[in-house]
Amino acid sequence: MLICPTADLALAQAAIYLAVAPKSDAAYKALDVARADVATTTAEPVPLHLRNAPTPLMKQFGYGEGYQHAHKFEDALSDMECLPPSLAGRRYYFPTDRGMEKRIAERLEEIRRARKP
């Protein structure tokens, strides 16, 4: 029984794409390393510049101060650090050189080059 023929078509196309796409376990490896960090490091608070400041008191405490909205920067890239200090600069995802991951790897390298002083 078809509930939404348009959605059925999109799901079928997605299934076909995934069936023929180059395979990789890079995301699984990244998730495993991130989970290990969660289990073995201190749960640091979210950096103040990443915290939402919906009230005047929160703004007074510095919530959101220094936040860099990426869309306001050239190439939509800021140099803002989003990880807590103990994990700053940590890398989790290492894409393969197959399929779309090859392009993702190229884009990540472009971003790293653009952020270097």
Side-chain angles (χ1 to χ4, degrees):
M1 177 170 126
L2 294 177
I3 295 174
C4 178
T6 306
D8 286 347
L9 178 58
L11 290 172
Q13 289 172 331
I16 292 167
Y17 171 80
L18 292 172
V20 300
K23 305 302 184 254
S24 169
D25 63 355
Y28 291 116
K29 289 179 180 179
L31 187 56
D32 285 344
V33 175
R35 283 182 175 148
D37 275 356
V38 168
T40 61
T41 61
T42 303
E44 295 183 60
V46 173
L48 282 178
H49 66 279
L50 295 179
R51 297 183 195 187
N52 189 23
T55 69
L57 182 61
M58 290 172 148
K59 288 179 186 172
Q60 183 180 343
F61 285 133
Y63 283 35
E65 188 174 317
Y67 178 79
Q68 298 176 2
H69 194 272
H71 297 279
K72 294 181 179 178
F73 290 84
E74 183 177 343
D75 294 328
L77 294 175
S78 77
D79 59 357
M80 181 174 58
E81 179 62 62
C82 294
L83 291 172
S86 68
L87 297 175
R90 184 88 158 101
R91 289 171 61 180
Y92 293 96
Y93 178 60
F94 296 89
T96 67
D97 61 354
R98 295 183 304 274
M100 190 62 181
E101 282 191 340
K102 183 176 183 175
R103 176 62 189 120
I104 292 170
E106 292 166 357
R107 179 63 181 146
L108 287 171
E109 190 53 39
E110 289 171 11
I111 292 168
R112 288 184 190 105
R113 278 195 308 267
R115 286 184 168 173
K116 281 190 178 179

